[in-house]
């Protein structure tokens, strides 16, 4: 294997050292021009009294250096040392002013890190290490400084010029240029720096904070999107109010700005006072955005806003602590969505995502702890483990200390560490200090990777009325760690009697039964028995209610036990979960029946449960839609070794068609009823739930292979006044062959070709088609004028969706999907390493497939690895994937 030019270096948490130089103030001056931007940076620097060296080392990449001055004196070329990554100035004074002038080329920046050109916009993305592509600087989060930013440019071309903080001054020059100066009084690390310039529409609003200060709110978008700002603005106000009420957090600048950008590597970025969003994560109108989009926008606007405290006021000491801000902030955005919409639906969606994505990561070659011990490229560690498992870990802390204790803990954390760059350990300590709960063992969740497995054994003694529950835990080895110590696992549990009623929960040795129907047990040892007394009849345990810990439950439960829980559990999450497990059992049964060539049949017990779910469709339509969703092919693949892609697909289709035919009358009636209730589009939990159930019914009806249903689907598309119903119809059509499907796709494009967000949906719908010629179509789409490899949303819409969410085609027997992905990654890596590396993620679980497929994937990985000049991003992932196969 050929390595990249220089083999990328690994960074270790254990090597953390305080910075040698600290910065009090940063003055940045930008002379903007897409081809050639001049940056003058003036830093007031002082030596860190806690460290030794007198060499001042600054990070900098892809910069043209014009000049360096110390205290006004121009340095000669021999007074500093430059590499492709650093600038070293030796023997500097204890305290000095440093002026550095650099030139950068935003128009050539296809990596979209640092300052870049997007359409007719100039904008920045600095997290994690993008600031070093703007100027030389100690680009690490534990160097916090007060920034003042002056921007100058031609007034006609760049009427809007934004940076962090409050607007301080502005003026015009005589030559048609103008300038603005922004000042951010809150010390911050360089990764939170932002600048935006361009000709943008602005929608304004205001919010009065809990102490009565008025904050100006502004959303900046392309002029053609002026009608798509309302939802984000509303979400922002909801988030501001929610954070005051729930965490006591008030906003701290005079203005809060959001900018929508078309080319963006991620979802959004929390730059202080100037959040920058991927346009797809902020713009919405009923005609162009689905319920899902509305929902995601609300939660991302919340997420970025919540970072103002969890991330900005209190930030990370180093990037190993990334989950300090991300895990906590994801928990906060999940709570926010839960409070504003349906708590059960939110929890189900979060757990679904965790299990299908994070469990796979934890079981694969890139497995890493919530606080990793090392990395090559930090951009590769913005993972579902850091985010989603990180959120679960903070959520478990909340479960253990209780809601009130948690609030005391976070209050102390924010107060104690305001203005500091700290560690996950500091966070846990603050909660401990506020609650006096010992979380020593709990800290292992931060340092040990892998998904623990909790096995369950039960025993009921009828004579003594004693129920004993024996829980044991193991955790599989991960590439970095062979042995694991037991975790502190909070297990929420209830007991149900034969009629499905809650039973009193009295642990042996305690005087009284618990006040609630659910208690939280602390599993801290490898094996532990919990004994309940006064249990009058043999109970059915409802374990891990609300998914109280990110573990796999290894409980042998019969289909009838699952059906019982599905029907009776008072915990709606566990009702859904029992249903999912029942689906999985049935589907795995179908897969093995296929192998034995036995005739396929759907077990009666599942049919019965679906029947009763459909019977109370109108009590909780959102939950019913969730109960009716069959586990994904990818998730099923993870439950099977080796995964049989084709059998899983066929089993799932068979199940869906069988249920569709059996309950055609019900699906039809519910569809009809909900469709007639339709009123003008509004985004709220109620209407969303109804549309979701309606479209679930439609998808079953389409699975019944009845041409009448296709007409129904086309009619829905024709009548739709919103993108939710239109797109639901279109994706069902795209799974079909024939002129009707082709016509629907063509008509959709013709109607929406002017709208980037909608065109991306059009691309995705085709990339996800079950039709066997989908790869061919995908290749055709990549030649379509609407597609650009330089646009991350386009790449994700086509390549990402095809490779991750179309398993039957991506894993085609001939290996064409694998060869395709390898080719695209090689092209992408030259343009945008972060996006390329993310797409590689589609190979994460490569070892779960059969030998033939493994061999073909390995060939694809070797093809990538043998390329010259790979980015560290792709290099790290491809090497780790290949190493797992050795
Ligand atoms: C909700 O975390 C949840 C996660 C980094 C970029 C946004 O605020 C962020 C940024 C990545 C992956 C996921 C998210 C973000 C990033 C994200 C957004 C909304 N600090 Br990379
Ligand atoms: Zn975040």
């Amino acid at each position: 294997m050929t390595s990249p030019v220089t083999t990328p270096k690994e960074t270790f948490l254990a090597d953390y050292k305080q910075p040698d130089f600290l910065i009090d103030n940063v003055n940045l001056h930008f002379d903007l021009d897409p081809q050639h931007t001049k940056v003058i940076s003036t830093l007031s620097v002082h030596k860190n009294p806690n460290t030794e060296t007198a060499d001042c080392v600054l990070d900098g990449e892809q910069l043209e250096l014009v000049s360096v001055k110390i205290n006004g004196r121009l340095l000669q070329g021999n007074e500093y040392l430059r590499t492709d990554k650093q600038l070293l100035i030796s023997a500097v004074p204890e305290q000095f002013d440093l002026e550095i002038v650099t030139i950068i080329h935003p128009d050539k920046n296809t990596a979209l890190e640092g300052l870049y050109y997007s359409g007719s916009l100039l904008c920045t993305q600095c997290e994690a290490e993008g600031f070093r592509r703007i100027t030389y600087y100690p680009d690490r989060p534990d160097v916090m400084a007060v920034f003042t930013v002056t921007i100058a440019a031609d007034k006609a071309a760049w009427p809007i010029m934004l940076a962090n903080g409050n607007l301080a001054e502005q003026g015009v020059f005589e030559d048609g240029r103008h300038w603005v100066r922004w000042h951010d009084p809150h010390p911050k690390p360089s990764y939170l720096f932002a600048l935006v310039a361009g000709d943008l529409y602005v929608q304004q609003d205001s919010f009065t904070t809990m102490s009565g200060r008025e904050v100006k709110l502004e959303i900046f978008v392309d002029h053609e999107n002026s009608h798509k700002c309302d939802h984000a603005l509303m979400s922002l106000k909801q988030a501001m109010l929610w954070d005051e009420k729930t965490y006591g957090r008030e906003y701290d600048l005079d203005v809060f700005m959001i900018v929508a950008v078309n080319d963006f590597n991620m979802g959004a970025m929390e730059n202080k006072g100037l959040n920058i969003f991927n346009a797809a994560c902020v713009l919405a109108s009923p005609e162009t955005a689905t319920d899902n989009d509305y929902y995601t926008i609300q939660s991302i606007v919340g997420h970025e806003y919540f970072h103002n405290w969890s991330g900005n006021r209190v930030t990370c000491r180093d990037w190993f602590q990334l989950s300090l801000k991300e895990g906590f902030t994801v928990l906060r955005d999940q709570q926010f969505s839960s409070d504003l919409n349906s708590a059960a639906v939110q929890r189900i969606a979060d757990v679904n995502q965790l299990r299908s994505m994070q469990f796979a990561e934890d079981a694969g070659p890139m497995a890493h702890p919530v606080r990793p011990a090392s990395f090559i490229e930090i951009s590769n560690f913005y993972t579902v483990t850091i985010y989603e498992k990180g959120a679960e870990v903070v959520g478990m802390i909340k479960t253990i200390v209780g809601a009130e204790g948690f609030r005391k803990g976070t209050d102390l954390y924010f107060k104690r560490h305001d203005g500091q760059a700290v560690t996950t350990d500091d966070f846990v300590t603050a909660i401990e200090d506020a609650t006096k709960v010992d979380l020593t063992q709990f800290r292992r969740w931060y340092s040990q990777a892998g998904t623990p497995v909790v096995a369950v054994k039960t025993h009921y003694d009828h004579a003594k009325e004693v129920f004993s529950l024996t829980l044991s835990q193991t955790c599989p080895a991960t590439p970095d760690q062979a042995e694991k110590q037991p975790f502190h696992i909070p297990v929420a549990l209830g007991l149900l009697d034969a009629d499905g009623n809650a039973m009193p929960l009295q642990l042996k040795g305690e005087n009284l039964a618990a006040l609630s129907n659910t208690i939280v047990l602390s599993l801290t040892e490898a094996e532990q028995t919990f004994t309940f007394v006064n249990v009058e009849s043999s109970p059915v345990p409802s374990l891990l209610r609300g998914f109280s810990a990110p573990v796999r439950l290894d409980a042998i439960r019969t289909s009838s036990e699952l059906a019982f829980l599905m029907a009776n559990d008072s915990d709606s999450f566990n009702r859904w979960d029992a249903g999912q497990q029942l689906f999985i059992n049935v589907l795995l049964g179908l897969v093995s029946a296929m192998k034995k060539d036995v005739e396929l049949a759907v077990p009666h017990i599942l049919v019965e449960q679906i029947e009763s779910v459909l019977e109370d469709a109108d009590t909780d339509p959102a939950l019913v839609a969730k109960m009716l969703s069959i586990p994904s092919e990818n998730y099923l693949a993870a439950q099977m070794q080796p995964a049989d892609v084709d059998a899983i697909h066929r089993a799932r289709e068979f199940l869906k068609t069988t249920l569709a035919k059996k309950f055609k009358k019900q699906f039809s009636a519910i569809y009809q009823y909900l469709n007639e209730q339709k009123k003008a589009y509004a985004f709220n939990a109620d209407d969303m739930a109804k549309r979701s159930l309606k479209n679930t019914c439609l998808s079953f009806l389409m699975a019944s292979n009845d041409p009448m249903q296709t007409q129904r689907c086309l009619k829905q598309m024709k009548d739709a006044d919103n993108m939710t119903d239109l797109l639901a119809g279109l994706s069902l059509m795209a799974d079909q062959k024939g002129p009707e499907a082709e016509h629907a796709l063509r008509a959709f494009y013709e109607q929406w070709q002017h709208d980037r967000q909608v065109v991306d949906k059009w691309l995705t719908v085709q990339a996800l088609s079950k039709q066997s010629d989908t790869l061919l179509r995908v290749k055709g789409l990549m030649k379509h004028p609407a597609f650009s490899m330089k646009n991350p949303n386009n790449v994700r819409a086509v390549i990402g969706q095809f490779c991750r969410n179309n398993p039957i085609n991506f894993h085609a027997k001939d290996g064409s999907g694998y060869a395709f992905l390898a080719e695209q990654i090689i092209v992408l890596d030259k343009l945008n390493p972060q996006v390329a590396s993310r797409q590689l993620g589609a190979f994460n679980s490569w070892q779960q497939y059969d030998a033939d497929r493994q061999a073909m994937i390995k060939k694809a990985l070797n093809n990538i690895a043998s390329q010259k000049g790979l980015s560290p991003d792709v290099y790290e992932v491809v090497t780790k994937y290949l190493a797992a196969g050795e």
Side-chain angles (χ1 to χ4, degrees):
M1 195 180 86
T2 331
S3 312
V5 188
T6 48
T7 304
K9 187 169 126 269
E10 195 165 3
T11 309
F12 295 89
L13 167 60
D15 293 344
Y16 173 81
K17 287 194 188 62
Q18 282 186 27
D20 291 318
F21 289 88
L22 302 171
I23 313 234
D24 304 300
N25 291 288
V26 182
N27 262 284
L28 293 172
H29 181 103
F30 286 85
D31 264 318
L32 286 185
D33 183 283
Q35 284 81 42
H36 186 277
T37 288
K38 184 160 121 187
V39 185
I40 307 171
S41 162
T42 314
L43 312 175
S44 45
V45 188
H46 72 268
K47 235 195 82 41
N48 181 350
N50 304 328
T51 69
E52 287 308 316
T53 175
D55 291 348
C56 179
V57 180
L58 305 173
D59 304 297
E61 285 174 22
Q62 303 183 10
L63 298 171
E64 265 176 44
L65 179 61
V66 176
S67 62
V68 185
K69 284 183 190 168
I70 285 190
N71 292 330
R73 185 181 72 85
L74 186 69
L75 299 195
Q76 301 302 303
N78 60 0
E79 294 180 86
Y80 54 82
L81 213 86
R82 262 178 96 199
T83 69
D84 58 343
K85 292 196 162 61
Q86 286 178 329
L87 176 69
L88 183 151
I89 315 166
S90 15
V92 296
E94 291 278 306
Q95 191 158 359
F96 57 101
D97 287 338
L98 179 60
E99 188 209 85
I100 299 174
V101 181
T102 50
I103 302 287
I104 50 181
H105 308 282
D107 61 333
K108 301 228 168 60
N109 183 349
T110 58
L112 314 185
E113 298 169 68
L115 180 69
Y116 63 92
Y117 196 39
S118 164
S120 56
L121 214 69
L122 278 164
C123 71
T124 54
Q125 172 53 41
C126 292
E127 189 178 3
E129 298 181 335
F131 191 72
R132 62 188 64 185
R133 292 170 187 235
I134 295 172
T135 182
Y136 285 100
Y137 195 81
D139 190 13
R140 44 187 289 170
D142 56 355
V143 173
M144 297 171 83
V146 172
F147 281 65
T148 305
V149 179
T150 308
I151 313 170
D154 179 70
K155 186 166 182 172
W158 313 97
I160 305 266
M161 300 191 293
L162 313 172
N164 317 83
N166 302 318
L167 183 62
E169 279 179 89
Q170 55 186 323
V172 283
F173 299 115
E174 280 175 1
D175 59 357
R177 291 159 59 78
H178 69 149
W179 63 275
V180 293
R181 179 164 301 142
W182 293 86
H183 178 73
D184 178 4
H186 302 279
K188 65 169 176 289
S190 49
Y191 82 87
L192 289 172
F193 166 79
L195 179 155
V196 173
D199 181 4
L200 293 163
Y201 168 85
V202 55
Q203 184 160 327
Q204 297 185 311
D205 204 334
S206 72
F207 178 84
T208 306
T209 69
M210 60 204 247
S211 70
R213 277 188 316 103
E214 187 165 308
V215 177
K216 193 158 77 168
L217 311 179
E218 297 184 314
I219 302 206
F220 297 86
V221 302
D222 286 340
H223 289 278
E224 75 232 40
N225 293 322
S226 59
H227 61 295
K228 293 193 187 179
C229 299
D230 294 351
H231 179 60
L233 212 34
M234 164 77 91
S235 303
L236 176 60
K237 288 184 282 181
Q238 289 170 322
M240 294 177 89
L241 186 64
W242 185 89
D243 213 18
E244 292 185 347
K245 288 210 163 123
T246 318
Y247 283 89
R249 300 295 112 204
E250 188 178 2
Y251 187 62
D252 53 9
L253 286 168
D254 302 338
V255 56
F256 187 91
M257 299 174 281
I258 287 178
V259 183
V261 174
N262 288 318
D263 304 275
F264 207 63
N265 282 350
M266 36 250 280
M269 180 61 209
E270 71 264 25
N271 317 300
K272 183 81 188 191
L274 178 55
N275 288 358
I276 299 181
F277 275 63
N278 186 325
C281 299
V282 60
L283 301 174
S285 72
E287 308 76 44
T288 60
T290 62
D291 284 336
N292 237 328
D293 296 329
Y294 272 82
Y295 199 92
T296 311
I297 289 166
Q298 189 183 54
S299 97
I300 301 191
V301 168
H303 179 98
E304 305 310 332
Y305 175 74
F306 302 144
H307 269 317
N308 190 55
W309 275 94
S310 50
N312 300 3
R313 289 290 286 254
V314 183
T315 195
C316 303
R317 187 193 71 174
D318 53 74
W319 293 119
F320 297 100
Q321 318 299 327
L322 179 58
S323 198
L324 171 78
K325 74 177 177 83
E326 296 304 348
F328 185 26
T329 305
V330 170
L331 177 80
R332 278 151 58 67
D333 80 55
Q334 291 174 348
Q335 291 178 307
F336 171 61
S337 298
S338 179
D339 288 351
L340 265 61
N341 304 291
S342 149
V345 168
Q346 177 68 28
R347 189 61 187 145
I348 288 167
D350 291 338
V351 174
N352 223 354
Q353 144 109 342
L354 185 85
R355 277 184 180 152
S356 57
M357 306 291 294
Q358 200 279 324
F359 281 19
E361 185 165 271
D362 244 353
M366 283 290 289
H368 56 276
V370 169
R371 186 193 55 221
S374 75
F375 56 74
I376 291 178
E377 171 52 60
I378 182 58
S379 306
N380 285 330
F381 284 79
Y382 285 71
T383 62
V384 277
T385 299
I386 301 297
Y387 280 78
E388 259 61 39
K389 186 175 181 178
E392 292 299 320
V393 168
V394 180
M396 284 192 284
I397 294 181
K398 179 165 180 257
T399 302
I400 291 168
V401 305
E404 238 175 86
F406 187 68
R407 171 64 196 271
K408 274 197 209 146
T410 58
D411 281 354
L412 178 60
Y413 167 73
F414 288 126
K415 187 161 163 237
R416 182 184 277 177
H417 297 297
D418 189 10
Q420 297 178 358
V422 303
T423 64
T424 55
D425 212 48
D426 293 321
F427 179 80
V428 178
T429 302
I431 311 275
E432 285 182 321
D433 290 349
T435 60
K436 309 290 168 216
V437 176
D438 181 359
L439 296 169
T440 310
Q441 184 183 354
F442 185 87
R443 283 179 169 79
R444 286 182 188 149
W445 283 106
Y446 287 97
S447 57
Q448 295 190 143
T451 307
V453 178
V454 173
V456 185
K457 273 186 283 180
T458 60
H459 178 75
Y460 180 63
D461 186 328
H462 190 76
K464 296 193 182 129
E465 297 195 333
V466 164
F467 176 69
S468 55
L469 178 73
T470 302
L471 301 177
S472 56
Q473 55 164 312
T474 53
C475 182
T478 47
D480 58 324
Q481 297 159 329
E483 300 294 327
K484 314 278 178 179
Q485 302 298 309
F487 291 88
H488 176 175
I489 303 176
V491 179
L493 155 129
L495 298 178
L496 276 66
D497 71 15
D499 299 323
N501 296 317
M503 300 174 85
L505 299 162
Q506 186 175 357
L507 280 165
K508 189 175 160 188
E510 290 187 357
N511 294 328
L512 287 170
L515 291 174
S516 128
N517 292 333
T518 302
I519 60 165
V520 180
L521 306 172
S522 274
L523 172 61
T524 54
E525 284 155 42
E527 181 172 299
Q528 223 167 321
T529 297
F530 300 90
T531 308
F532 294 88
V533 297
N534 297 326
V535 183
E536 291 180 356
S537 60
S538 179
V540 176
S542 165
L543 287 156
L544 216 66
R545 279 188 164 165
F547 202 66
S548 60
V551 301
R552 285 180 210 271
L553 202 54
D554 181 11
I556 302 149
R557 289 176 297 187
T558 61
S559 292
S560 63
E561 240 174 335
L562 290 169
F564 176 82
L565 288 169
M566 193 178 169
N568 296 296
D569 203 326
S570 60
D571 185 80
S572 41
F573 173 82
N574 268 14
R575 260 198 333 274
W576 169 81
D577 199 28
Q580 294 293 296
Q581 194 57 53
L582 188 56
F583 270 133
I584 291 171
N585 291 355
V586 166
L587 286 159
L588 295 181
L590 288 171
V591 167
S592 51
M594 257 174 225
K595 290 200 174 127
K596 288 183 216 135
D597 238 350
V598 193
E599 202 186 328
L600 302 185
V602 176
H604 192 63
I605 192 152
L606 178 65
V607 174
E608 249 174 28
Q609 284 313 307
I610 300 297
E611 180 160 29
S612 61
V613 166
L614 288 171
E615 264 161 25
D616 41 54
D618 49 357
T619 11
D620 191 347
L623 198 60
V624 168
K626 289 279 178 203
M627 299 286 284
L628 291 172
S629 59
I630 306 176
S632 73
E633 291 174 33
N634 283 336
Y635 189 61
L636 289 161
Q639 319 301 314
M640 217 182 145
Q641 194 60 263
D644 187 336
V645 185
D646 306 288
I648 288 171
H649 181 74
R650 271 163 52 215
R652 210 173 165 279
E653 296 288 295
F654 173 80
L655 174 61
K656 191 151 189 188
T657 305
T658 309
L659 294 176
K661 287 181 175 160
K662 266 204 170 95
F663 296 112
K664 197 160 170 184
K665 245 176 52 202
Q666 288 91 323
F667 285 126
S668 202
I670 299 169
Y671 179 88
Q672 196 93 13
Y673 171 75
L674 292 170
N675 203 38
E676 277 160 13
Q677 279 210 332
K678 207 175 83 167
K679 42 186 196 271
Y681 181 92
F683 174 72
N684 58 61
D686 237 33
D687 290 1
M688 194 166 38
K690 287 178 179 152
R691 283 186 290 266
S692 144
L693 181 58
K694 183 180 79 177
N695 288 314
T696 302
C697 291
L698 185 62
S699 89
F700 274 98
L701 290 165
M702 287 290 273
S704 70
N705 300 326
D706 159 11
M708 288 289 292
Q709 305 306 329
T710 304
Q711 294 315 309
R712 192 178 230 167
C713 182
L714 290 169
K715 180 156 180 1
Q716 166 163 325
M717 290 181 68
K718 194 168 139 263
D719 296 348
D721 68 346
N722 65 79
M723 184 50 72
T724 307
D725 288 341
L726 179 58
L727 193 69
L730 187 69
S731 26
L732 291 167
M733 289 309 297
D735 278 335
Q736 303 205 332
K737 233 191 189 63
E740 279 165 325
E742 294 309 320
H743 178 259
L745 284 164
R746 208 170 321 114
F748 186 92
Y749 181 76
E750 262 157 38
Q751 189 181 354
W752 291 109
Q753 52 184 309
H754 59 279
D755 189 300
R756 287 164 168 277
Q757 271 69 57
V758 183
V759 169
D760 281 334
K761 296 181 201 306
W762 177 78
L763 294 168
T764 293
V765 149
Q766 297 174 78
L768 290 181
S769 170
K770 287 186 250 178
Q771 289 298 313
S772 56
D773 62 350
T774 297
L775 180 55
L776 219 67
R777 194 183 269 272
V778 159
K779 288 179 178 169
L781 288 174
M782 291 173 63
K783 298 205 183 85
H784 193 282
F787 181 90
S788 162
M789 274 295 240
K790 290 187 183 165
N791 178 263
N793 288 359
N794 284 171
V795 171
R796 287 182 281 252
V798 180
I799 304 171
Q801 293 289 349
F802 176 78
C803 298
R804 278 174 190 272
N805 295 326
N806 196 340
I808 186 75
N809 282 307
F810 176 59
H811 295 284
K813 242 193 170 62
D814 61 1
S816 52
Y818 308 146
F820 168 74
L821 180 55
E823 262 167 58
Q824 303 317 317
I825 284 169
I826 291 164
V827 175
L828 273 170
D829 195 37
K830 298 267 180 251
L831 296 170
N832 188 327
Q834 288 187 359
V835 171
S837 171
R838 282 221 171 231
Q839 298 310 314
L840 244 186
F843 284 136
N844 176 72
S845 303
W846 69 282
Q847 290 178 296
Q848 78 183 7
Y849 298 97
D850 55 80
D852 284 354
R853 285 187 170 89
Q854 283 195 32
M856 292 185 291
I857 300 177
K858 198 163 174 178
K859 198 174 134 204
L861 290 171
N862 275 316
N863 178 16
I864 298 168
S866 68
Q867 300 298 312
K868 291 203 183 71
L870 278 187
S871 68
D873 310 59
V874 168
Y875 171 83
E876 176 172 35
V877 178
V878 81
T879 345
K880 286 181 179 172
Y881 283 179
L882 281 167
E886 270 151 23

